Amino acid sequence: MVDLRNLSRVRVVLVETKFSGNIGLVARVMKNLGFEDLRLVKPRAELNREAYARAISGSDIIDRSEIHNELYPAIKDCQLVIGTSRRHGVKRKNVISPEEMAELIISSLEVNNIALVFGSEDTGLSNQDIKYCQWVVGIHPGTKYESLSLSHAVAIILWEINSALRNPRASIVRREKLASSEEMEQMFEHLQEVLTEIDFTRPGDPRRMMLSFRAIFNRAQMSSRDVNIIRGLLRQVNWKIESERKPGGKK
């Protein structure tokens, strides 16, 4: 059984939160369900009296919260990044249910840091934010109106994790540490450079093809060793290209 204390490995990341009260309500939910690490990315709301009034016993979580100007610095130390979205689309790949998300987290929590990323109240997560997420979890109650408030969405997601940890199903616990977001992003940048160099990607828009490659590699839940193998392959491709460009090289 996974120790509930491992919930300290889970970061709740709020992106461009619009209302101070919602930050407080999220902190309160986190406190009640055993989560401690709150990170705020480009918050539009202030950490004011309203935020603390709504937080009640979760005020200490607001006190310890980190504020970042961009999403990537807030999640780069995490090995598993899960975004939340109610929208569908070709740019939202690897979509899972809250139940599947909880099982995925349980299997990874012992040795990995995990980020749960929530978008703003009015626009949600942008495609730029989604690209950093290996998985996207959707909450779909099956009604005509599926738009939940930010604090309600956070409560549902955190409750699923808390409940699954307290009542675990028979599942494989992964004790191998996954590659960090920083390692994955460096690999994706290297891959895009190589694909552009060999004219594999669409001219002028290499990012479209990269969305598919991101989905493929993210599903694999790669370790640092896996990333190093792929980057070794890419370096060999770089070397081959450069050697053929030199005088006397193969054409």
Side-chain angles (χ1 to χ4, degrees):
M1 180 176 179
V2 179
D3 195 325
L4 281 174
R5 288 175 295 183
N6 283 337
L7 288 176
S8 62
R9 291 184 175 276
V10 179
R11 291 88 166 98
V12 175
V13 184
L14 305 183
V15 180
E16 296 189 27
T17 307
K18 188 176 181 180
F19 300 110
S20 300
N22 279 336
I23 295 176
L25 288 171
V26 168
R28 181 179 181 181
V29 167
M30 290 175 63
K31 188 73 171 184
N32 287 335
L33 295 177
F35 298 82
E36 303 174 358
D37 194 336
L38 175 62
R39 302 186 180 189
L40 306 173
V41 177
K42 293 185 291 186
R44 290 181 282 171
E46 296 181 357
L47 299 180
N48 55 20
R49 181 178 297 179
E50 182 183 4
Y52 280 92
R54 295 293 183 92
I56 307 180
S57 60
S59 296
D60 60 313
I61 290 178
I62 295 179
D63 289 335
R64 295 194 306 271
S65 64
E66 296 181 8
I67 298 179
H68 298 269
N69 292 324
E70 300 292 339
L71 175 58
Y72 178 58
I75 53 92
K76 71 177 184 178
D77 64 333
C78 296
Q79 287 75 38
L80 182 60
V81 182
I82 301 175
T84 56
S85 177
R86 67 181 178 88
R87 298 196 297 269
H88 300 281
V90 295
K91 294 185 178 181
R92 281 165 165 73
K93 301 179 184 293
N94 296 352
V95 178
I96 55 178
S97 69
E99 295 82 4
E100 292 170 324
M101 170 216 63
E103 288 297 313
L104 177 63
I105 288 176
I106 287 175
S107 68
S108 306
L109 192 55
E110 283 196 6
V111 294
N112 293 290
N113 295 327
I114 297 166
L116 299 169
V117 187
F118 298 85
S120 65
E121 297 91 333
D122 48 358
T123 60
L125 291 175
S126 68
N127 290 331
Q128 177 68 18
D129 295 329
I130 288 289
K131 83 170 189 177
Y132 292 117
C133 303
Q134 290 102 330
W135 302 89
V136 176
V137 60
I139 302 173
H140 302 293
T143 59
K144 290 184 178 180
Y145 190 69
E146 294 188 336
S147 180
L148 298 173
S149 69
L150 174 61
S151 60
H152 289 173
V154 173
I156 290 171
I157 295 300
L158 298 190
W159 169 255
E160 285 287 348
I161 299 168
N162 176 287
S163 179
L165 284 170
R166 290 183 293 105
N167 304 284
R169 301 174 184 175
S171 59
I172 298 174
V173 176
R174 179 168 184 161
R175 291 183 170 83
E176 181 182 16
K177 192 170 185 178
L178 301 175
S180 68
S181 292
E182 185 172 23
E183 291 173 306
M184 294 294 289
E185 285 306 311
Q186 290 171 350
M187 182 192 74
F188 287 135
E189 289 176 6
H190 194 175
L191 176 60
Q192 182 172 319
E193 291 173 3
V194 170
L195 294 179
T196 301
E197 186 71 23
I198 64 176
D199 296 325
F200 185 85
T201 57
R202 185 175 179 178
D205 190 15
R207 291 175 296 180
R208 176 168 294 187
M209 178 61 70
M210 285 304 301
L211 289 173
S212 295
F213 278 109
R214 280 177 176 272
I216 292 169
F217 284 118
N218 284 336
R219 281 196 297 270
Q221 292 187 261
M222 300 173 70
S223 66
S224 295
R225 182 175 182 274
D226 297 333
V227 170
N228 288 335
I229 290 173
I230 296 298
R231 296 205 66 185
L233 171 64
L234 296 174
R235 283 191 291 270
Q236 186 67 17
V237 174
N238 287 138
W239 175 84
K240 186 68 173 177
I241 292 172
E242 290 301 319
S243 65
E244 292 186 356
R245 284 176 174 168
K246 294 178 181 179
K250 295 181 180 179
K251 302 295 184 183

